Amino acid sequence: MKGIILAGGSGTRLAPVTLAVSKQLVPVYDKPLIYYPLSVLMLAGVSDVLVITTPMDRPQYERLLGDGSALGIRLTYAEQSSPNGLAEAFLIGADHVGDDSVALILGDNIFHGLGMSDLLRRSAESVKGCVLFGYPVSDPERYGVGEADDDGFLVSIEEKPEQPRSNRAITGLYLYDNDVTSIAGRLTPSARGELEITDVNRVYLERGQARLVDLGRGFAWMDAGTHASLLEASQYVRTLEQRQGVRIACLEEIALRMGYIDSDQCYRLGQRVANSEYGRYVMAVAQSGFDGGASR
């Protein structure tokens, strides 16, 4: 399975911060926002990831993440010149996807929970159709909402419904089989001029090939796209990290756990930022053999 992180857009809801920096490079407590979606893909076993961003922001991502080799993964970059819809990611990334299945994650989405890695890897195995992830919310009328049958297959999907049939918001993580590139290629722009991810999902729904995996109790999902939600995400991460003594979305620790790098490589990555608490944590993880906790 290949991975795509959609880190484009103008981030207008976070202005004036985003007048000078990409939204996905803004810090969420102790690390850039893009670390969180990248960690999700890595935990799912995805090690070949395309980052789609704007022409202006691409050099910053390349400086931050490089080609991924330091983490034992492969990172490449592509540009989306204007925000033409989430589904355009499959047109831009068609060559990257090739003959594989693909996981698309939005660059401002944060997922966390015990067992997240196992859930993601099970969901990513032999994807036939699409797998969406639903999260219970108290205000489903603000979201795209999915309704599933007793077997977990999607039976309806609505965008910001006035009378929601479910309280399961569709999160910004999507798994698709290889048909998604051809499906996206046949889409026509919506009334707002974008290629909509919901239209992709409806094709799979009509085929009876759309599953909705419930992220219930024990999981957290945050869309850090506003000042308030960005602050809430930072407070959440800070509280858990300080109380539990482990780091959320620590890419170096995840790379070590997944076997992408060894302890010596992990330690050297920590040394690069040794003056920070984050760097000292990475070095400690490398020295301890990471048996005292796990990034999720």
Side-chain angles (χ1 to χ4, degrees):
M1 175 173 278
K2 300 291 180 60
I4 297 177
I5 300 176
L6 197 51
S10 54
T12 53
R13 290 184 298 167
L14 284 173
V17 174
T18 47
L19 294 178
V21 65
S22 172
K23 171 174 64 174
Q24 291 82 9
L25 294 174
V26 170
V28 174
Y29 186 49
D30 58 351
K31 62 192 73 71
L33 176 52
I34 196 170
Y35 272 42
Y36 296 86
L38 179 54
S39 74
V40 170
L41 296 182
M42 292 173 65
L43 287 169
V46 178
S47 58
D48 191 347
V49 178
L50 175 69
V51 178
I52 298 178
T53 186
T54 67
M56 179 180 67
D57 295 320
R58 177 173 176 170
Q60 296 174 298
Y61 286 102
E62 292 176 327
R63 178 183 176 188
L64 174 67
L65 299 171
D67 62 3
S69 59
L71 296 168
I73 64 175
R74 181 173 184 263
L75 293 175
T76 52
Y77 302 86
E79 298 172 2
Q80 186 182 40
S81 56
S82 58
N84 296 319
L86 304 186
E88 190 183 37
F90 302 115
L91 306 184
I92 297 172
D95 290 341
H96 168 72
V97 175
D99 296 327
D100 290 326
S101 55
V102 60
L104 173 68
I105 188 167
L106 305 188
D108 59 2
N109 273 219
I110 297 172
F111 296 85
H112 177 254
L114 183 63
M116 189 77 187
S117 179
D118 290 339
L119 174 65
L120 292 173
R121 277 183 274 184
R122 288 197 307 269
S123 300
E125 291 176 356
S126 303
V127 174
K128 295 180 180 178
C130 77
V131 179
L132 309 177
F133 294 86
Y135 190 81
V137 295
S138 59
D139 50 354
E141 64 278 359
R142 294 181 51 234
Y143 301 90
V145 176
E147 178 188 15
D149 62 20
D150 292 338
D151 295 319
F153 285 93
L154 199 68
V155 295
S156 73
I157 186 169
E158 304 172 283
E159 278 296 322
K160 299 180 180 179
E162 293 183 4
Q163 297 182 331
R165 300 173 60 178
S166 162
N167 71 335
R168 274 9 183 211
I170 302 297
T171 69
L173 173 62
Y174 317 85
L175 309 181
Y176 297 100
D177 64 17
N178 192 252
D179 282 351
V180 72
T181 54
S182 60
I183 291 172
R186 294 193 297 270
L187 294 181
T188 56
S190 65
R192 60 178 185 170
E194 296 187 4
L195 299 179
E196 305 287 355
I197 197 73
T198 298
D199 291 338
V200 172
N201 296 335
R202 284 201 178 101
V203 172
Y204 284 106
L205 169 62
E206 292 167 1
R207 293 179 178 180
Q209 293 182 321
R211 290 196 298 119
L212 184 66
V213 175
D214 189 29
L215 298 178
R217 291 187 177 183
F219 290 95
W221 167 59
M222 290 162 279
D223 175 355
T226 67
H227 296 105
S229 60
L230 191 65
L231 177 60
E232 290 170 2
S234 292
Q235 292 172 330
Y236 174 86
V237 172
R238 178 181 182 272
T239 298
L240 286 184
E241 290 189 351
Q242 290 194 344
R243 289 184 179 177
Q244 297 181 357
V246 297
R247 299 270 161 172
I248 298 172
C250 177
L251 301 182
E252 297 84 357
E253 181 180 6
I254 293 170
L256 182 60
R257 283 185 61 209
M258 299 295 292
Y260 298 149
I261 60 175
D262 60 29
S263 295
D264 289 340
Q265 291 170 304
C266 184
Y267 188 85
R268 288 195 294 271
L269 290 175
Q271 280 184 312
R272 297 191 307 181
V273 288
N275 286 336
S276 68
E277 290 185 5
Y278 183 93
R280 290 190 289 273
Y281 174 82
V282 171
M283 290 188 290
V285 165
Q287 290 178 316
S288 67
F290 65 93
D291 56 2
S295 281
R296 291 176 285 275

PDB file of all heavy atoms in Angstrom, residues 6-40:
ATOM      1  N   LEU A   6      -2.092  14.836   2.089  1.00  0.00           N
ATOM      2  CA  LEU A   6      -2.513  16.058   1.413  1.00  0.00           C
ATOM      3  C   LEU A   6      -2.224  17.237   2.327  1.00  0.00           C
ATOM      4  O   LEU A   6      -2.904  17.449   3.331  1.00  0.00           O
ATOM      5  CB  LEU A   6      -3.992  15.982   1.064  1.00  0.00           C
ATOM      6  CG  LEU A   6      -4.526  16.973   0.027  1.00  0.00           C
ATOM      7  CD1 LEU A   6      -3.678  16.964  -1.246  1.00  0.00           C
ATOM      8  CD2 LEU A   6      -5.973  16.674  -0.301  1.00  0.00           C
ATOM      9  N   ALA A   7      -1.159  17.970   1.987  1.00  0.00           N
ATOM     10  CA  ALA A   7      -0.692  19.073   2.838  1.00  0.00           C
ATOM     11  C   ALA A   7      -0.656  20.379   2.052  1.00  0.00           C
ATOM     12  O   ALA A   7       0.234  21.197   2.230  1.00  0.00           O
ATOM     13  CB  ALA A   7       0.689  18.754   3.405  1.00  0.00           C
ATOM     14  N   GLY A   8      -1.637  20.564   1.184  1.00  0.00           N
ATOM     15  CA  GLY A   8      -1.722  21.791   0.411  1.00  0.00           C
ATOM     16  C   GLY A   8      -2.695  22.767   1.042  1.00  0.00           C
ATOM     17  O   GLY A   8      -2.862  22.803   2.262  1.00  0.00           O
ATOM     18  N   GLY A   9      -3.351  23.531   0.211  1.00  0.00           N
ATOM     19  CA  GLY A   9      -4.322  24.493   0.713  1.00  0.00           C
ATOM     20  C   GLY A   9      -3.665  25.749   1.253  1.00  0.00           C
ATOM     21  O   GLY A   9      -2.453  25.816   1.441  1.00  0.00           O
ATOM     22  N   SER A  10      -4.496  26.723   1.533  1.00  0.00           N
ATOM     23  CA  SER A  10      -3.994  28.017   1.998  1.00  0.00           C
ATOM     24  C   SER A  10      -4.135  28.210   3.496  1.00  0.00           C
ATOM     25  O   SER A  10      -3.597  29.169   4.056  1.00  0.00           O
ATOM     26  CB  SER A  10      -4.728  29.151   1.267  1.00  0.00           C
ATOM     27  OG  SER A  10      -6.128  29.001   1.397  1.00  0.00           O
ATOM     28  N   GLY A  11      -4.879  27.333   4.171  1.00  0.00           N
ATOM     29  CA  GLY A  11      -5.006  27.435   5.627  1.00  0.00           C
ATOM     30  C   GLY A  11      -5.589  28.742   6.102  1.00  0.00           C
ATOM     31  O   GLY A  11      -5.174  29.290   7.125  1.00  0.00           O
ATOM     32  N   THR A  12      -6.588  29.254   5.373  1.00  0.00           N
ATOM     33  CA  THR A  12      -7.122  30.579   5.690  1.00  0.00           C
ATOM     34  C   THR A  12      -7.761  30.652   7.071  1.00  0.00           C
ATOM     35  O   THR A  12      -7.795  31.720   7.684  1.00  0.00           O
ATOM     36  CB  THR A  12      -8.159  30.995   4.634  1.00  0.00           C
ATOM     37  OG1 THR A  12      -9.151  29.955   4.499  1.00  0.00           O
ATOM     38  CG2 THR A  12      -7.487  31.203   3.279  1.00  0.00           C
ATOM     39  N   ARG A  13      -8.248  29.518   7.581  1.00  0.00           N
ATOM     40  CA  ARG A  13      -8.887  29.546   8.908  1.00  0.00           C
ATOM     41  C   ARG A  13      -7.866  29.779  10.024  1.00  0.00           C
ATOM     42  O   ARG A  13      -8.244  30.134  11.137  1.00  0.00           O
ATOM     43  CB  ARG A  13      -9.635  28.230   9.159  1.00  0.00           C
ATOM     44  CG  ARG A  13     -10.873  28.044   8.297  1.00  0.00           C
ATOM     45  CD  ARG A  13     -11.609  26.780   8.682  1.00  0.00           C
ATOM     46  NE  ARG A  13     -10.788  25.575   8.478  1.00  0.00           N
ATOM     47  CZ  ARG A  13     -11.091  24.378   8.968  1.00  0.00           C
ATOM     48  NH1 ARG A  13     -12.177  24.210   9.701  1.00  0.00           N
ATOM     49  NH2 ARG A  13     -10.311  23.342   8.729  1.00  0.00           N
ATOM     50  N   LEU A  14      -6.581  29.600   9.710  1.00  0.00           N
ATOM     51  CA  LEU A  14      -5.531  29.822  10.696  1.00  0.00           C
ATOM     52  C   LEU A  14      -4.769  31.125  10.460  1.00  0.00           C
ATOM     53  O   LEU A  14      -3.737  31.362  11.083  1.00  0.00           O
ATOM     54  CB  LEU A  14      -4.546  28.647  10.707  1.00  0.00           C
ATOM     55  CG  LEU A  14      -5.028  27.374  11.397  1.00  0.00           C
ATOM     56  CD1 LEU A  14      -4.031  26.247  11.194  1.00  0.00           C
ATOM     57  CD2 LEU A  14      -5.261  27.604  12.887  1.00  0.00           C
ATOM     58  N   ALA A  15      -5.256  31.953   9.564  1.00  0.00           N
ATOM     59  CA  ALA A  15      -4.614  33.243   9.336  1.00  0.00           C
ATOM     60  C   ALA A  15      -4.690  34.079  10.614  1.00  0.00           C
ATOM     61  O   ALA A  15      -5.635  33.941  11.405  1.00  0.00           O
ATOM     62  CB  ALA A  15      -5.296  33.967   8.179  1.00  0.00           C
ATOM     63  N   PRO A  16      -3.690  34.928  10.878  1.00  0.00           N
ATOM     64  CA  PRO A  16      -2.566  35.300  10.021  1.00  0.00           C
ATOM     65  C   PRO A  16      -1.346  34.377  10.123  1.00  0.00           C
ATOM     66  O   PRO A  16      -0.370  34.597   9.434  1.00  0.00           O
ATOM     67  CB  PRO A  16      -2.198  36.697  10.526  1.00  0.00           C
ATOM     68  CG  PRO A  16      -2.525  36.636  11.992  1.00  0.00           C
ATOM     69  CD  PRO A  16      -3.752  35.778  12.094  1.00  0.00           C
ATOM     70  N   VAL A  17      -1.410  33.330  10.975  1.00  0.00           N
ATOM     71  CA  VAL A  17      -0.259  32.434  11.120  1.00  0.00           C
ATOM     72  C   VAL A  17       0.161  31.866   9.769  1.00  0.00           C
ATOM     73  O   VAL A  17       1.345  31.803   9.438  1.00  0.00           O
ATOM     74  CB  VAL A  17      -0.596  31.290  12.107  1.00  0.00           C
ATOM     75  CG1 VAL A  17       0.545  30.281  12.156  1.00  0.00           C
ATOM     76  CG2 VAL A  17      -0.872  31.846  13.493  1.00  0.00           C
ATOM     77  N   THR A  18      -0.824  31.468   8.973  1.00  0.00           N
ATOM     78  CA  THR A  18      -0.530  30.784   7.726  1.00  0.00           C
ATOM     79  C   THR A  18      -0.209  31.724   6.557  1.00  0.00           C
ATOM     80  O   THR A  18      -0.055  31.269   5.427  1.00  0.00           O
ATOM     81  CB  THR A  18      -1.718  29.877   7.347  1.00  0.00           C
ATOM     82  OG1 THR A  18      -2.945  30.622   7.487  1.00  0.00           O
ATOM     83  CG2 THR A  18      -1.771  28.669   8.258  1.00  0.00           C
ATOM     84  N   LEU A  19      -0.110  33.006   6.836  1.00  0.00           N
ATOM     85  CA  LEU A  19       0.350  33.916   5.789  1.00  0.00           C
ATOM     86  C   LEU A  19       1.827  33.689   5.477  1.00  0.00           C
ATOM     87  O   LEU A  19       2.304  34.019   4.392  1.00  0.00           O
ATOM     88  CB  LEU A  19       0.132  35.374   6.215  1.00  0.00           C
ATOM     89  CG  LEU A  19      -1.318  35.831   6.377  1.00  0.00           C
ATOM     90  CD1 LEU A  19      -1.361  37.279   6.854  1.00  0.00           C
ATOM     91  CD2 LEU A  19      -2.089  35.676   5.068  1.00  0.00           C
ATOM     92  N   ALA A  20       2.556  33.110   6.428  1.00  0.00           N
ATOM     93  CA  ALA A  20       3.996  32.934   6.253  1.00  0.00           C
ATOM     94  C   ALA A  20       4.438  31.480   6.288  1.00  0.00           C
ATOM     95  O   ALA A  20       5.554  31.173   5.872  1.00  0.00           O
ATOM     96  CB  ALA A  20       4.749  33.697   7.349  1.00  0.00           C
ATOM     97  N   VAL A  21       3.559  30.573   6.766  1.00  0.00           N
ATOM     98  CA  VAL A  21       3.970  29.176   6.906  1.00  0.00           C
ATOM     99  C   VAL A  21       2.784  28.268   6.599  1.00  0.00           C
ATOM    100  O   VAL A  21       1.633  28.619   6.855  1.00  0.00           O
ATOM    101  CB  VAL A  21       4.503  28.904   8.335  1.00  0.00           C
ATOM    102  CG1 VAL A  21       3.407  29.072   9.377  1.00  0.00           C
ATOM    103  CG2 VAL A  21       5.112  27.512   8.445  1.00  0.00           C
ATOM    104  N   SER A  22       3.082  27.110   6.022  1.00  0.00           N
ATOM    105  CA  SER A  22       2.038  26.140   5.733  1.00  0.00           C
ATOM    106  C   SER A  22       1.378  25.654   7.016  1.00  0.00           C
ATOM    107  O   SER A  22       2.044  25.459   8.037  1.00  0.00           O
ATOM    108  CB  SER A  22       2.643  24.945   4.981  1.00  0.00           C
ATOM    109  OG  SER A  22       1.702  23.896   4.849  1.00  0.00           O
ATOM    110  N   LYS A  23       0.066  25.446   6.947  1.00  0.00           N
ATOM    111  CA  LYS A  23      -0.675  24.997   8.132  1.00  0.00           C
ATOM    112  C   LYS A  23      -0.078  23.730   8.722  1.00  0.00           C
ATOM    113  O   LYS A  23       0.027  23.594   9.948  1.00  0.00           O
ATOM    114  CB  LYS A  23      -2.138  24.759   7.750  1.00  0.00           C
ATOM    115  CG  LYS A  23      -2.973  24.098   8.831  1.00  0.00           C
ATOM    116  CD  LYS A  23      -4.437  24.013   8.443  1.00  0.00           C
ATOM    117  CE  LYS A  23      -4.666  23.143   7.236  1.00  0.00           C
ATOM    118  NZ  LYS A  23      -6.114  22.955   6.957  1.00  0.00           N
ATOM    119  N   GLN A  24       0.326  22.797   7.874  1.00  0.00           N
ATOM    120  CA  GLN A  24       0.800  21.510   8.360  1.00  0.00           C
ATOM    121  C   GLN A  24       2.212  21.573   8.951  1.00  0.00           C
ATOM    122  O   GLN A  24       2.720  20.577   9.455  1.00  0.00           O
ATOM    123  CB  GLN A  24       0.751  20.466   7.243  1.00  0.00           C
ATOM    124  CG  GLN A  24      -0.656  20.071   6.826  1.00  0.00           C
ATOM    125  CD  GLN A  24      -1.288  21.060   5.849  1.00  0.00           C
ATOM    126  OE1 GLN A  24      -0.626  21.966   5.337  1.00  0.00           O
ATOM    127  NE2 GLN A  24      -2.566  20.889   5.576  1.00  0.00           N
ATOM    128  N   LEU A  25       2.828  22.748   8.922  1.00  0.00           N
ATOM    129  CA  LEU A  25       4.122  22.949   9.565  1.00  0.00           C
ATOM    130  C   LEU A  25       3.992  23.682  10.904  1.00  0.00           C
ATOM    131  O   LEU A  25       4.972  23.835  11.628  1.00  0.00           O
ATOM    132  CB  LEU A  25       5.062  23.734   8.641  1.00  0.00           C
ATOM    133  CG  LEU A  25       5.478  23.007   7.358  1.00  0.00           C
ATOM    134  CD1 LEU A  25       6.288  23.928   6.461  1.00  0.00           C
ATOM    135  CD2 LEU A  25       6.267  21.740   7.672  1.00  0.00           C
ATOM    136  N   VAL A  26       2.783  24.106  11.219  1.00  0.00           N
ATOM    137  CA  VAL A  26       2.535  24.769  12.506  1.00  0.00           C
ATOM    138  C   VAL A  26       2.699  23.737  13.622  1.00  0.00           C
ATOM    139  O   VAL A  26       2.299  22.581  13.480  1.00  0.00           O
ATOM    140  CB  VAL A  26       1.118  25.379  12.516  1.00  0.00           C
ATOM    141  CG1 VAL A  26       0.738  25.859  13.902  1.00  0.00           C
ATOM    142  CG2 VAL A  26       1.025  26.508  11.508  1.00  0.00           C
ATOM    143  N   PRO A  27       3.298  24.119  14.757  1.00  0.00           N
ATOM    144  CA  PRO A  27       3.514  23.132  15.822  1.00  0.00           C
ATOM    145  C   PRO A  27       2.232  22.742  16.548  1.00  0.00           C
ATOM    146  O   PRO A  27       1.380  23.580  16.826  1.00  0.00           O
ATOM    147  CB  PRO A  27       4.483  23.847  16.774  1.00  0.00           C
ATOM    148  CG  PRO A  27       4.255  25.307  16.532  1.00  0.00           C
ATOM    149  CD  PRO A  27       3.930  25.416  15.072  1.00  0.00           C
ATOM    150  N   VAL A  28       2.109  21.453  16.818  1.00  0.00           N
ATOM    151  CA  VAL A  28       1.127  20.937  17.761  1.00  0.00           C
ATOM    152  C   VAL A  28       1.929  20.447  18.954  1.00  0.00           C
ATOM    153  O   VAL A  28       2.546  19.385  18.923  1.00  0.00           O
ATOM    154  CB  VAL A  28       0.285  19.804  17.160  1.00  0.00           C
ATOM    155  CG1 VAL A  28      -0.628  19.186  18.222  1.00  0.00           C
ATOM    156  CG2 VAL A  28      -0.549  20.332  15.998  1.00  0.00           C
ATOM    157  N   TYR A  29       1.992  21.258  19.963  1.00  0.00           N
ATOM    158  CA  TYR A  29       2.826  21.118  21.153  1.00  0.00           C
ATOM    159  C   TYR A  29       4.302  21.015  20.777  1.00  0.00           C
ATOM    160  O   TYR A  29       4.951  22.029  20.591  1.00  0.00           O
ATOM    161  CB  TYR A  29       2.367  19.948  22.033  1.00  0.00           C
ATOM    162  CG  TYR A  29       3.152  19.889  23.336  1.00  0.00           C
ATOM    163  CD1 TYR A  29       3.330  21.021  24.119  1.00  0.00           C
ATOM    164  CD2 TYR A  29       3.732  18.702  23.773  1.00  0.00           C
ATOM    165  CE1 TYR A  29       4.067  20.979  25.298  1.00  0.00           C
ATOM    166  CE2 TYR A  29       4.464  18.642  24.961  1.00  0.00           C
ATOM    167  CZ  TYR A  29       4.637  19.793  25.709  1.00  0.00           C
ATOM    168  OH  TYR A  29       5.365  19.750  26.865  1.00  0.00           O
ATOM    169  N   ASP A  30       4.851  19.809  20.615  1.00  0.00           N
ATOM    170  CA  ASP A  30       6.304  19.674  20.506  1.00  0.00           C
ATOM    171  C   ASP A  30       6.796  19.216  19.139  1.00  0.00           C
ATOM    172  O   ASP A  30       7.965  18.895  18.985  1.00  0.00           O
ATOM    173  CB  ASP A  30       6.821  18.686  21.569  1.00  0.00           C
ATOM    174  CG  ASP A  30       6.171  17.313  21.453  1.00  0.00           C
ATOM    175  OD1 ASP A  30       5.212  17.170  20.684  1.00  0.00           O
ATOM    176  OD2 ASP A  30       6.620  16.386  22.158  1.00  0.00           O
ATOM    177  N   LYS A  31       5.926  19.210  18.144  1.00  0.00           N
ATOM    178  CA  LYS A  31       6.350  18.755  16.818  1.00  0.00           C
ATOM    179  C   LYS A  31       5.435  19.340  15.755  1.00  0.00           C
ATOM    180  O   LYS A  31       4.302  19.746  16.050  1.00  0.00           O
ATOM    181  CB  LYS A  31       6.358  17.217  16.751  1.00  0.00           C
ATOM    182  CG  LYS A  31       4.995  16.579  16.959  1.00  0.00           C
ATOM    183  CD  LYS A  31       5.081  15.082  17.182  1.00  0.00           C
ATOM    184  CE  LYS A  31       5.630  14.722  18.531  1.00  0.00           C
ATOM    185  NZ  LYS A  31       4.677  15.016  19.634  1.00  0.00           N
ATOM    186  N   PRO A  32       5.903  19.420  14.503  1.00  0.00           N
ATOM    187  CA  PRO A  32       5.058  19.965  13.438  1.00  0.00           C
ATOM    188  C   PRO A  32       3.813  19.108  13.213  1.00  0.00           C
ATOM    189  O   PRO A  32       3.860  17.877  13.373  1.00  0.00           O
ATOM    190  CB  PRO A  32       5.973  19.934  12.207  1.00  0.00           C
ATOM    191  CG  PRO A  32       7.364  19.868  12.750  1.00  0.00           C
ATOM    192  CD  PRO A  32       7.262  19.097  14.030  1.00  0.00           C
ATOM    193  N   LEU A  33       2.758  19.747  12.810  1.00  0.00           N
ATOM    194  CA  LEU A  33       1.481  19.061  12.599  1.00  0.00           C
ATOM    195  C   LEU A  33       1.617  17.877  11.648  1.00  0.00           C
ATOM    196  O   LEU A  33       0.998  16.824  11.864  1.00  0.00           O
ATOM    197  CB  LEU A  33       0.454  20.068  12.071  1.00  0.00           C
ATOM    198  CG  LEU A  33      -0.936  19.566  11.673  1.00  0.00           C
ATOM    199  CD1 LEU A  33      -1.573  18.760  12.786  1.00  0.00           C
ATOM    200  CD2 LEU A  33      -1.826  20.742  11.281  1.00  0.00           C
ATOM    201  N   ILE A  34       2.428  17.992  10.612  1.00  0.00           N
ATOM    202  CA  ILE A  34       2.521  16.912   9.626  1.00  0.00           C
ATOM    203  C   ILE A  34       3.097  15.628  10.216  1.00  0.00           C
ATOM    204  O   ILE A  34       2.883  14.541   9.669  1.00  0.00           O
ATOM    205  CB  ILE A  34       3.338  17.350   8.388  1.00  0.00           C
ATOM    206  CG1 ILE A  34       3.077  16.374   7.233  1.00  0.00           C
ATOM    207  CG2 ILE A  34       4.821  17.474   8.736  1.00  0.00           C
ATOM    208  CD1 ILE A  34       3.632  16.810   5.906  1.00  0.00           C
ATOM    209  N   TYR A  35       3.794  15.708  11.343  1.00  0.00           N
ATOM    210  CA  TYR A  35       4.292  14.490  11.986  1.00  0.00           C
ATOM    211  C   TYR A  35       3.146  13.540  12.333  1.00  0.00           C
ATOM    212  O   TYR A  35       3.321  12.314  12.307  1.00  0.00           O
ATOM    213  CB  TYR A  35       5.050  14.836  13.272  1.00  0.00           C
ATOM    214  CG  TYR A  35       6.511  15.137  13.107  1.00  0.00           C
ATOM    215  CD1 TYR A  35       6.978  15.911  12.045  1.00  0.00           C
ATOM    216  CD2 TYR A  35       7.449  14.673  14.024  1.00  0.00           C
ATOM    217  CE1 TYR A  35       8.325  16.211  11.907  1.00  0.00           C
ATOM    218  CE2 TYR A  35       8.798  14.966  13.892  1.00  0.00           C
ATOM    219  CZ  TYR A  35       9.236  15.737  12.834  1.00  0.00           C
ATOM    220  OH  TYR A  35      10.568  16.025  12.710  1.00  0.00           O
ATOM    221  N   TYR A  36       1.994  14.081  12.682  1.00  0.00           N
ATOM    222  CA  TYR A  36       0.892  13.260  13.158  1.00  0.00           C
ATOM    223  C   TYR A  36       0.295  12.397  12.041  1.00  0.00           C
ATOM    224  O   TYR A  36       0.165  11.178  12.224  1.00  0.00           O
ATOM    225  CB  TYR A  36      -0.153  14.137  13.840  1.00  0.00           C
ATOM    226  CG  TYR A  36       0.388  14.805  15.091  1.00  0.00           C
ATOM    227  CD1 TYR A  36       1.067  16.019  15.022  1.00  0.00           C
ATOM    228  CD2 TYR A  36       0.255  14.204  16.345  1.00  0.00           C
ATOM    229  CE1 TYR A  36       1.597  16.620  16.159  1.00  0.00           C
ATOM    230  CE2 TYR A  36       0.777  14.806  17.487  1.00  0.00           C
ATOM    231  CZ  TYR A  36       1.453  16.007  17.382  1.00  0.00           C
ATOM    232  OH  TYR A  36       1.996  16.594  18.514  1.00  0.00           O
ATOM    233  N   PRO A  37      -0.082  12.949  10.888  1.00  0.00           N
ATOM    234  CA  PRO A  37      -0.573  12.068   9.823  1.00  0.00           C
ATOM    235  C   PRO A  37       0.503  11.132   9.281  1.00  0.00           C
ATOM    236  O   PRO A  37       0.208   9.981   8.933  1.00  0.00           O
ATOM    237  CB  PRO A  37      -1.072  13.042   8.745  1.00  0.00           C
ATOM    238  CG  PRO A  37      -0.410  14.342   9.046  1.00  0.00           C
ATOM    239  CD  PRO A  37      -0.243  14.377  10.531  1.00  0.00           C
ATOM    240  N   LEU A  38       1.755  11.595   9.217  1.00  0.00           N
ATOM    241  CA  LEU A  38       2.816  10.705   8.755  1.00  0.00           C
ATOM    242  C   LEU A  38       2.980   9.537   9.721  1.00  0.00           C
ATOM    243  O   LEU A  38       3.199   8.391   9.300  1.00  0.00           O
ATOM    244  CB  LEU A  38       4.131  11.471   8.609  1.00  0.00           C
ATOM    245  CG  LEU A  38       5.347  10.650   8.149  1.00  0.00           C
ATOM    246  CD1 LEU A  38       5.061   9.901   6.852  1.00  0.00           C
ATOM    247  CD2 LEU A  38       6.575  11.556   7.990  1.00  0.00           C
ATOM    248  N   SER A  39       2.856   9.792  11.008  1.00  0.00           N
ATOM    249  CA  SER A  39       2.969   8.701  11.985  1.00  0.00           C
ATOM    250  C   SER A  39       1.865   7.671  11.794  1.00  0.00           C
ATOM    251  O   SER A  39       2.083   6.470  11.976  1.00  0.00           O
ATOM    252  CB  SER A  39       2.937   9.264  13.406  1.00  0.00           C
ATOM    253  OG  SER A  39       1.634   9.673  13.788  1.00  0.00           O
ATOM    254  N   VAL A  40       0.667   8.117  11.434  1.00  0.00           N
ATOM    255  CA  VAL A  40      -0.446   7.196  11.205  1.00  0.00           C
ATOM    256  C   VAL A  40      -0.124   6.247  10.055  1.00  0.00           C
ATOM    257  O   VAL A  40      -0.339   5.032  10.148  1.00  0.00           O
ATOM    258  CB  VAL A  40      -1.746   7.974  10.927  1.00  0.00           C
ATOM    259  CG1 VAL A  40      -2.855   7.044  10.446  1.00  0.00           C
ATOM    260  CG2 VAL A  40      -2.204   8.720  12.179  1.00  0.00           C
TER     261      VAL A  40
END
